[in-house]
Amino acid sequence: SNFMGPIRIESTGTSKSEPVTRQTWESLFDERGKLVDPLSVKQAIFIGGLAPDARHLAWPFLLHVFDWDSTKEEREHHVSIITKEYQLLCRAWKWALLECQKTGMNMESILGGVDLEQFEREEGTEVDVFPGDGPWSLMDTSSRKSTENIDDLLGLNEDADGLNTEQSWNISKTLENTFGDKGPVAALFDAFTTLTSPSITNDNDPTTAEPMDPLTLSEAFSGGPNSGSPTQFAGGQSPHVGDERDPTREQTDQGGKNEGAIMLLPNISQKRTDFIDYVCSFRSQVLKDVVRTDRGIPEFEPGDESTNSLLYIMQRVLSSYAIKDRDIGYCQGMSDFLSPLVHAFFVQRGNSWMSPQELIELEAILFASFENLMLRVGSNFSSDQVGIRSQLARIRRIVLAVDRDLLDFFDKSDPSFYSVYRWVLVQFKREVEFASIPRLWEVFWMDHVAPNELHLYVAVALLLYERERILQLDAGQFDQILRFVNSMSKQFDPEAAIELGTKLYLRIGRMDAGASVPEAVVADSFATLGITFGL
């Protein structure tokens, strides 16, 4: 074998400036709480990064939770909205778990430290607890009766089912009257499943909607012919349950009932069963993934989701996201994107005291940041993998533009560039040390260069840097290039990756990478770019 391991790639540090600290960040706002010079701030972050204690403040801007030109008052108003929405989502999946428990189902694999007895008491007495049943017990009664955001929560403003804004508003305002003693949370989910059904037979009476096809636990985990084909991601099965399903499919097996389905109490409608089954299906996978994500990091290592606050927050956020975006649901790999955010928001921010309301709002901002991050990377988790395949195809076109010899090697050994699949799937999360991930990602999120593609230029730049060693491998042997790429893990720092990827983009990024092959662009060495690296 001609296999040779990669060399250590380190930045020269020539373009590195001091990171933006919390103190510096807070000094950049005027008396209205508005950034004085957003462009300069972005440039400073791109060049020097953010200090750990500033990330929980700046990342919501980088991930477009807050507008760069927003005032403090505008941000506070937005936080109040997203906090109420997040509270609704948390109550949603708790309610579904409570209904599961009432059926006598074994809750061990889906409970995750949630105190359902406490939740049931609080629902019955109109008291909201947030988070309320985990390592933190925080009281908040501000949103129990609030329904002004239900339209947005259920997607009614999109007029997808022929409901206009006035009708949607009337529905949200009369939920509790309509559903009576079921309570506000149960009412929310009768409305959720009704208003998102395939058709509305009477625009003025949403309760006449046709019930949706039920999703059962057995289908979600078996991957059977009617399961929506859960897809493998990062080595495991994802209960992706948002796929279109055949409404005419027979609902029973030979025994007259769907084997493995949750048998609900008689007074629970079929459309509510759909939602309950959906929650129970993804909760099992969420809890499995949360307890094995970044366990080598001290703050994530001890306990489980019922005793470790960070793990508890992760399962709350992931469960709420799976409800908010049922098209994607939950897939393995999402916890890899969430854990650095949780660490930045609740560990790196420091130990300064926070009131219960501030903690509530911080978790809601975390959720909104994760949701917007999924807008960037969510296609990585689509069941048809079209997002991953398109990015790998883009990597191939960039290689074509800069190095025909390297492309020829890959065409013989790995024409689809599956050897760098992991680089793309979780954007180098497992290739650099955990402490270095924030620096790499915050540059990606800024879209300062190569908007939403800088990670692809970084991938190609790293391959180009190692081209001599790669070309010495046996052509046509996929296992060799895969082993080489995997051995590059932890062998480069983010500053080096940013330098390489940025300068590669600046040289060829404005060209049509698939149209022609520029001469003497990068092919043999990065020395032509004025970068020197220590071994």
Side-chain angles (χ1 to χ4, degrees):
S1 171
N2 293 323
F3 178 81
M4 297 176 62
I7 61 174
R8 175 73 182 174
I9 306 174
E10 297 177 349
S11 171
T12 59
T14 54
S15 61
K16 185 78 167 66
S17 64
E18 291 300 314
V20 177
T21 65
R22 177 172 183 166
Q23 182 178 6
T24 300
W25 173 264
E26 292 175 341
S27 71
L28 300 174
F29 294 82
D30 63 18
E31 64 278 359
R32 298 175 59 207
K34 186 175 181 179
L35 280 169
V36 176
D37 188 354
L39 181 59
S40 295
V41 175
K42 294 177 185 179
Q43 290 174 337
I45 295 173
F46 186 87
I47 295 173
L50 288 159
D53 64 352
R55 286 175 180 142
H56 72 287
L57 299 173
W59 280 9
F61 287 83
L62 296 179
L63 290 169
H64 305 290
V65 175
F66 302 140
D67 291 333
W68 286 92
D69 60 351
S70 62
T71 64
K72 180 180 179 180
E73 182 179 1
E74 290 168 340
R75 292 192 297 275
E76 288 176 346
H77 175 69
H78 186 52
V79 168
S80 70
I81 292 173
I82 62 179
T83 300
K84 291 176 181 178
E85 179 190 44
Y86 184 57
Q87 288 175 309
L88 282 173
L89 292 168
C90 288
R91 283 160 50 205
W93 52 262
K94 287 183 184 180
W95 172 83
L97 292 179
L98 182 61
E99 294 300 323
C100 286
Q101 186 181 63
K102 290 177 181 178
T103 69
M105 179 181 178
N106 185 346
M107 302 293 290
E108 182 178 357
S109 66
I110 63 174
L111 195 56
V114 177
D115 187 341
L116 292 179
E117 291 184 3
Q118 180 183 358
F119 176 70
E120 186 174 24
R121 289 194 303 270
E122 289 151 358
E123 286 298 309
T125 58
E126 301 296 313
V127 176
D128 192 19
V129 175
F130 186 102
D133 47 15
W136 293 325
S137 183
L138 309 173
M139 298 298 295
D140 175 67
T141 59
S142 61
S143 70
R144 165 58 63 190
K145 291 289 186 178
S146 174
T147 56
E148 61 265 35
N149 296 316
I150 289 179
D151 294 343
D152 292 329
L153 177 65
L154 304 183
L156 298 180
N157 289 332
E158 298 176 0
D159 199 26
D161 293 314
L163 294 170
N164 58 39
T165 302
E166 182 179 357
Q167 289 169 329
S168 300
W169 177 259
N170 289 336
I171 291 167
S172 67
K173 283 296 184 183
T174 58
L175 276 177
E176 293 184 24
N177 293 332
T178 301
F179 294 99
D181 60 2
K182 292 179 182 177
V185 175
L188 172 63
F189 293 103
D190 274 305
F192 177 86
T193 51
T194 297
L195 298 176
T196 56
S197 295
S199 63
I200 299 290
T201 58
N202 182 344
D203 284 348
N204 295 319
D205 183 8
T207 61
T208 63
E210 296 178 4
M212 290 188 293
D213 181 34
L215 173 72
T216 65
L217 279 177
S218 61
E219 291 174 337
F221 288 108
S222 68
N226 298 318
S227 66
S229 301
T231 303
Q232 295 287 332
F233 285 106
Q237 178 170 290
S238 164
H240 179 86
V241 292
D243 303 296
E244 291 296 324
R245 303 165 58 79
D246 180 5
T248 65
R249 177 172 61 84
E250 182 63 37
Q251 298 301 311
T252 60
D253 59 16
Q254 294 179 356
K257 65 180 180 179
N258 202 328
E259 183 177 348
I262 295 178
M263 302 306 294
L264 296 175
L265 299 177
N267 64 339
I268 299 182
S269 66
Q270 181 62 64
K271 55 185 178 285
R272 294 167 76 195
T273 305
D274 296 341
F275 184 82
I276 295 167
D277 284 353
Y278 171 68
V279 170
C280 292
S281 68
F282 72 67
R283 280 284 295 180
S284 178
Q285 190 63 56
V286 164
L287 297 185
K288 287 179 182 177
D289 290 348
V290 162
V291 297
R292 58 192 182 197
T293 301
D294 292 314
R295 295 295 270 185
I297 306 305
E299 293 82 7
F300 290 115
E301 183 177 7
D304 57 21
E305 70 282 350
S306 64
T307 59
N308 184 314
S309 295
L310 298 187
L311 302 184
Y312 187 71
I313 290 171
M314 286 180 64
Q315 58 100 355
R316 287 169 57 85
V317 170
L318 293 170
S319 296
S320 299
Y321 178 79
I323 291 177
K324 180 71 180 290
D325 188 350
R326 291 186 66 178
D327 288 337
I328 296 180
Y330 175 75
C331 299
Q332 282 192 323
M334 288 184 177
S335 59
D336 276 302
F337 280 108
L338 178 60
S339 58
L341 274 70
V342 171
H343 198 269
F345 276 66
F346 288 93
V347 177
Q348 296 178 18
R349 63 172 299 279
N351 295 321
S352 57
W353 183 87
M354 297 182 71
S355 70
Q357 183 61 29
E358 288 173 328
L359 282 170
I360 293 169
E361 293 173 351
L362 186 61
E363 188 174 335
I365 296 169
L366 167 68
F367 172 78
S369 299
F370 178 73
E371 182 184 1
N372 285 1
L373 177 56
M374 286 297 103
L375 291 177
R376 295 182 63 91
V377 303
S379 65
N380 290 7
F381 303 101
S382 62
S383 58
D384 56 10
Q385 300 191 45
V386 64
I388 292 288
R389 290 203 302 267
S390 65
Q391 291 175 82
L392 295 178
R394 179 62 174 152
I395 287 176
R396 187 184 188 282
R397 289 196 299 272
I398 298 172
V399 174
L400 168 65
V402 298
D403 195 328
R404 279 285 181 86
D405 290 339
L406 188 60
L407 180 65
D408 181 64
F409 173 86
F410 271 91
D411 280 344
K412 294 175 181 176
S413 307
D414 180 18
S416 297
F417 283 80
Y418 284 133
S419 56
V420 297
Y421 180 95
R422 190 173 70 183
W423 291 5
V424 174
L425 178 66
V426 289
Q427 296 196 348
F428 298 96
K429 165 72 185 300
R430 300 176 187 177
E431 317 312 316
V432 299
E433 299 294 343
F434 185 86
S436 299
I437 294 161
R439 169 60 178 148
L440 192 61
W441 281 5
E442 62 200 16
V443 171
F444 292 165
W445 300 340
M446 291 186 65
D447 292 330
H448 204 55
V449 297
N452 214 18
E453 283 196 338
L454 184 56
H455 64 294
L456 305 181
Y457 281 90
V458 167
V460 174
L462 294 173
L463 294 177
L464 290 169
Y465 189 87
E466 294 286 3
R467 73 181 301 274
E468 295 303 326
R469 288 171 174 76
I470 291 174
L471 293 178
Q472 292 181 48
L473 303 176
D474 294 333
Q477 300 296 317
F478 174 74
D479 63 324
Q480 286 203 20
I481 183 60
L482 178 63
R483 186 154 58 101
F484 183 89
V485 168
N486 287 343
S487 69
M488 293 176 67
S489 177
K490 307 301 196 299
Q491 295 299 308
F492 58 89
D493 67 24
E495 297 300 336
I498 292 167
E499 286 183 46
L500 292 171
T502 299
K503 294 191 176 183
L504 176 61
Y505 172 77
L506 294 176
R507 292 296 296 265
I508 70 163
R510 295 180 177 87
M511 302 177 184
D512 179 1
S516 61
V517 182
E519 294 183 4
V521 176
V522 185
D524 294 326
S525 173
F526 271 90
T528 57
L529 298 181
I531 305 176
T532 357
F533 291 89
L535 300 183

